[in-house]
Amino acid sequence: MSRRIALLFAVACGMAVANIYYAQPLLDAIAQEFGITHSSVGIVITITQVCYTLGLLLLVPLGDLLNRRWLITGQMLLSVLALIVVGTAPTGIVLFIGIAAVGLLAVVTQTLVAFAATLAAPAERGRTVGVVTSGIVIGILLARTFAGVLTDVAGWRSVYLVSAVFTLIMVCVLFRILPQDESKRESLSYLQLLRSLFTLFAEERILRIRAVLALMIFTVFSIFWTSLVLPLSAPPLSLSHTAIGAFGLAGVAGALAAARAGRLADQGLGQRTTGVALILLLLSWLPIRYTEHSLIALVVGIVLLDLAVQAVHVTNQSMILNVRPEARSRLTAGYMVFYSIGSATGAIASTTIYAYAGWNGVCLLGAAVSALALIFWVMTRRGIY
C-alpha cells in the first residue's frame, strides 16, 4: 500500500469521523436554539455515539462480505444527505434524527481502517494503521476548530452544510482512486456474519482485553472533550467558539506524536507502549485540573491526554488486526463498539457531573477512569485476567 493511498485513507477517515464531533464545541449554541438545558445537552453526543455503535454492529461487518470500495462510497453518499438534514433541521426532533443518521453512517471510517490493514504488507501493517488512525484522531480534534470558526462566522448550521459539500467531493475522489477490493470473501449469510462477532470475542482473548481498554480510554477522551466547552465559554474565561475550537490544534500535536505507536507494535513493543501511554493519561489530569486558572496548563494537559489515547488506540488496533486476516472488518467492529460505548458514557457523564460538581468533578471523574484503565492493563499483562 503506497503512502499516498494511506494518506488519502487518513484524510477520508478524518472527514467522516469529524461529522460526529462537530457538535461538541457547539453544545451551548444548540442548547440555546432548541431550548435544551446544559445538564441534558450531552444527549446530542450520546445519540450520535449510540447510533455509531449500531453502525459498527450492523454495517462494518459487511466489509468481510461485500466489496469495500462500493460499501465505502455508498455510505459516504448517504452521509451527505444526513448532514444536510442536520444543517437545515427546523426542530429538535429533526435535529436528533439527522444526528442519529450521521452517527450511523460515520462508521465508514472503520471500514477504511480494515481495508487499509488488508492492503498493507504484514511488516508495515502497524505503521499503516497508525497513519490511517491518526487521520481519525486528527479529524476528531480539528472538528472542534473547524466548527468553532464556522459557527462564529456563519452560525452552527453552516458547519454541517459545508461538511456535506466536502464529503461529496471526497466521494468523487475515493471512487476514482480506491483500489479494487480483491480480498477473500466469507461465505456467510448476513445473520451468520453478525453472530460470528460474538464467536470472535469468545475465542480471542486479545480482542476482549483491548476492547475493554478502548472503552476506558475513550470514556476519558469523551469526558474531557465533551465538557471542555462549558468552563471555557462561561465567565470568567468566556471564550469564543473559534478560541475554544482552537484547543483542538494542541490535541493534533499529541495525536501526531503518537503515530509512531504503530511502528512500535510492529516491533513487538505493544505492551510497553500501552503501559507508558496509560501512565501519561493519568498524569494529564494534573495540568487539566487548572484549566480555569491557566490556559497554558490546559494545552499541556491536552497534548498529554491525546498522545496517550492515540498511542493506546493505535497499539490496540495493530495487535487486533493481526489475529484473523479474514475477519478484519468484524474485529474492527467488535473493538470499536467498546470505543463507542465509552464515548457515549463519557459524554453524558461529564455534562451531568459538570452541572453538579463543576470542573473539579469532571477532572476527578477523568482521573478515576484513567487509573482504572492502568490497573486493568497491569492485571491483564500479569495474567490475572
Side-chain angles (χ1 to χ4, degrees):
M1 185 179 186
S2 70
R3 184 168 182 80
R4 182 175 70 91
I5 298 297
L7 290 173
L8 175 66
F9 273 50
V11 172
C13 284
M15 289 179 58
V17 78
N19 291 330
I20 62 175
Y21 288 94
Y22 288 140
Q24 288 189 350
L26 311 179
L27 288 180
D28 57 336
I30 292 173
Q32 184 177 358
E33 178 161 345
F34 293 100
I36 306 171
T37 64
H38 273 176
S39 61
S40 303
V41 72
I43 193 67
V44 173
I45 308 299
T46 301
I47 287 173
T48 309
Q49 294 295 344
V50 168
C51 290
Y52 188 83
T53 304
L54 290 175
L56 291 170
L57 290 170
L58 301 176
L59 299 180
V60 175
L62 287 172
D64 291 332
L65 203 61
L66 305 177
N67 185 301
R68 290 190 181 102
R69 184 169 181 263
W70 289 99
L71 188 62
I72 289 165
T73 53
Q75 286 183 35
M76 293 188 74
L77 272 176
L78 292 175
S79 292
V80 173
L81 297 178
L83 289 164
I84 293 173
V85 170
V86 175
T88 58
T91 66
I93 296 298
V94 176
L95 173 74
F96 292 153
I97 292 172
I99 283 290
V102 167
L104 184 73
L105 295 165
V107 297
V108 69
T109 57
Q110 304 312 318
T111 305
L112 282 161
V113 170
F115 196 11
T118 299
L119 294 172
E124 296 186 347
R125 185 163 293 127
R127 180 191 64 82
T128 301
V129 170
V131 170
V132 176
T133 305
S134 291
I136 294 174
V137 176
I138 291 170
I140 293 171
L141 297 170
L142 289 185
R144 295 164 175 82
T145 305
F146 178 81
V149 171
L150 270 185
T151 297
D152 285 340
V153 172
W156 70 267
R157 294 177 182 274
S158 66
V159 176
Y160 293 95
L161 296 177
V162 171
S163 179
V165 174
F166 285 166
T167 302
L168 183 59
I169 293 172
M170 179 55 71
V171 169
C172 298
V173 173
L174 288 174
F175 188 77
R176 287 178 58 86
I177 297 179
L178 276 182
Q180 291 295 332
D181 184 11
E182 299 176 353
S183 56
K184 183 180 178 181
R185 307 286 177 206
E186 288 278 22
S187 57
L188 300 172
S189 68
Y190 180 59
L191 289 178
Q192 289 174 326
L193 192 74
L194 297 183
R195 283 198 297 266
S196 68
L197 276 172
F198 300 96
T199 303
L200 288 171
F201 269 104
E203 295 176 351
E204 301 297 341
R205 180 176 181 269
I206 189 67
L207 176 59
R208 297 193 300 271
I209 292 172
R210 293 288 157 168
V212 173
L213 280 174
L215 185 150
M216 289 188 279
I217 64 171
F218 281 103
T219 296
V220 173
F221 188 83
S222 187
I223 285 171
F224 174 72
W225 282 109
T226 300
S227 58
L228 180 62
V229 64
L230 302 176
L232 293 183
S233 61
L237 296 173
S238 301
L239 300 181
S240 68
H241 287 100
T242 299
I244 293 171
F247 284 99
L249 297 174
V252 170
L256 288 172
R260 184 174 171 77
R263 295 184 181 182
L264 294 174
D266 286 336
Q267 297 168 15
L269 300 174
Q271 286 287 13
R272 184 178 301 177
T273 303
T274 302
V276 172
L278 290 175
I279 292 171
L280 291 177
L281 182 62
L282 179 57
L283 292 176
S284 70
W285 288 99
L286 291 174
I288 289 172
R289 159 70 178 79
Y290 294 97
T291 292
E292 295 171 314
H293 307 285
S294 171
L295 294 182
I296 294 177
L298 172 60
V299 170
V300 172
I302 289 174
V303 172
L304 288 176
L305 185 142
D306 285 1
L307 167 63
V309 169
Q310 171 69 346
V312 177
H313 183 44
V314 170
T315 303
N316 285 349
Q317 291 199 300
S318 297
M319 295 172 73
I320 289 170
L321 291 173
N322 281 328
V323 176
R324 298 274 191 95
E326 79 284 357
R328 288 197 175 110
S329 289
R330 281 166 288 166
L331 288 167
T332 302
Y335 168 79
M336 291 300 297
V337 164
F338 285 75
Y339 153 96
S340 189
I341 293 171
S343 294
T345 302
I348 197 65
S350 62
T351 52
T352 302
I353 290 292
Y354 184 85
Y356 293 102
W359 188 244
N360 286 340
V362 171
C363 291
L364 286 173
L365 177 63
V369 180
S370 300
L372 184 62
L374 181 58
I375 292 169
F376 177 77
W377 172 77
V378 171
M379 292 174 61
T380 54
R381 190 185 187 195
R382 294 179 177 177
I384 298 174
Y385 168 72

